[in-house]
Amino acid sequence: MNQLLLDVMTIPKDDPIAFTFFTGYMAMLAASVFFFFERGSVDEKWKISLLVSGLITGIAAVHYYYMRDYYVSTGSNPTALRYIDWTLTVPLMCVEFYLLLRPAGAKISFMWKLIGAAVLMLVTGYIGEAFVPLNADGTAAEGATSHSVMWGVISTIGYAYILYSAWFGEAKQLAANSNSTAVQSGIQALAWFVLVGWAIYPIGYMCMPGGWLNTGLGWQSANVDLFYNIADAVNKIGFGLVVYSIAKAESGKSTAKA
Ligand SMILES: *C/C=C(C)/C=C/C=C(C)/C=C/C1=C(C)CCCC1(C)C
């Protein structure tokens, strides 16, 4: 049989990264089916939030399908596919914040500021990762560390903006104005995801050749995908479940009133 086909059909048993690509794919797919079906069980005004949750995991599922095969057949990081996925899904997470906070007075400019910060974070992260100077054998070349540090720091500015908004800034203030305790605690839960779940990504980034954890602790560039895969499952499915539980709680309320 064709070697490439054989590779994508076999998960090497000593490869935890391949394992997370396969389980990540299935988990994203299952989560999308769940969110799409559950749209029917919430009030009209919450349906769009569940649709967005399903789109986030659905877009990720399609990218995992390709990234998984790319990884298993080449053994290298599917950097471009990864960032295309994030460029679509992270702005949709910003849309989720906006949709939840719209009843509390969130303006469309609130959403665009979050999306702007996300785009800054991802474009500069991509430059840091995809264009790091490497030797022919894939090890860090001259200037690799300064390249990844510089772009990583600029990327962190975008991340810090979203983090600040969720914990102290506009998102936090809008949540405080909301008369729904479900929305308030939901935004608090999303703020924790941004603080803890999203922090896994820069850890992965620092494992690439020339990165601080690679040069400092000897963590391999293959670990980049291990961190990213775990973080994606936690954040994309977790975010969706928080939104789902707010929608459920709020839908229950209006049925009780009617
Ligand atoms: C579903 C995908 C998500 C939630 C992706 C989030 C990605 C990040 C929070 C990435 C952050 C980065 C930094 C803060 C610095 C280094 C470069 C990045 C892009 C890995």
Side-chain angles (χ1 to χ4, degrees):
M1 192 185 277
N2 171 319
Q3 188 56 39
L4 188 92
L5 206 57
L6 203 64
D7 284 343
V8 297
M9 289 170 65
T10 327
I11 315 176
K13 58 178 174 292
D14 54 353
D15 187 344
I17 297 165
F19 178 82
T20 57
F21 269 118
F22 277 77
T23 44
Y25 167 58
M26 209 54 235
M28 295 293 181
L29 193 63
S32 305
V33 172
F34 176 80
F35 295 133
F36 287 145
F37 270 88
E38 283 299 309
R39 272 184 82 241
S41 75
V42 299
D43 284 358
E44 203 56 39
K45 64 173 187 226
W46 290 105
K47 289 194 193 308
I48 180 127
S49 297
L50 287 199
L51 175 68
V52 176
S53 294
L55 286 177
I56 292 169
T57 51
I59 291 168
V62 174
H63 285 86
Y64 268 77
Y65 176 83
Y66 291 108
M67 288 196 289
R68 185 192 70 169
D69 290 355
Y70 179 90
Y71 174 79
V72 179
S73 49
T74 66
S76 47
N77 311 123
T79 308
L81 280 165
R82 180 76 75 183
Y83 276 85
I84 294 168
D85 172 337
W86 291 352
T87 307
L88 298 167
T89 52
V90 179
L92 284 173
M93 292 174 140
C94 301
V95 172
E96 294 273 42
F97 267 106
Y98 166 69
L99 290 173
L100 289 176
L101 292 170
R102 195 170 48 176
K107 302 251 172 357
I108 195 85
S109 61
F110 163 72
M111 183 187 87
W112 286 115
K113 280 183 265 179
L114 291 181
I115 292 179
V119 169
L120 171 72
M121 173 177 93
L122 295 173
V123 169
T124 53
Y126 181 70
I127 298 171
E129 211 167 317
F131 300 102
V132 65
L134 295 177
N135 297 313
D137 63 356
T139 54
E142 176 87 26
T145 302
S146 58
H147 173 90
S148 73
V149 170
M150 178 177 82
W151 292 103
V153 167
I154 302 174
S155 171
T156 303
I157 297 169
Y159 175 43
Y161 178 84
I162 301 174
L163 198 56
Y164 180 83
S165 182
W167 281 90
F168 311 104
E170 222 175 335
K172 175 80 183 175
Q173 275 146 26
L174 286 162
N177 294 342
S178 167
N179 52 17
S180 154
T181 50
V183 168
Q184 284 178 350
S185 57
I187 291 293
Q188 187 60 32
L190 294 186
W192 277 108
F193 272 102
V194 174
L195 179 65
V196 180
W198 290 26
I200 305 169
Y201 297 99
I203 296 174
Y205 176 91
M206 288 186 277
C207 293
M208 72 170 149
W212 281 346
L213 293 176
N214 189 304
T215 53
L217 300 175
W219 289 8
Q220 300 296 311
S221 65
N223 290 336
V224 171
D225 286 305
L226 187 62
F227 284 106
Y228 290 170
N229 289 353
I230 293 170
D232 274 356
V234 168
N235 291 303
K236 292 180 165 64
I237 301 172
F239 231 70
L241 287 174
V242 169
V243 172
Y244 170 71
S245 66
I246 301 173
K248 268 298 213 196
E250 289 294 292
S251 299
K253 245 192 237 164
S254 36
T255 334
K257 246 184 272 161

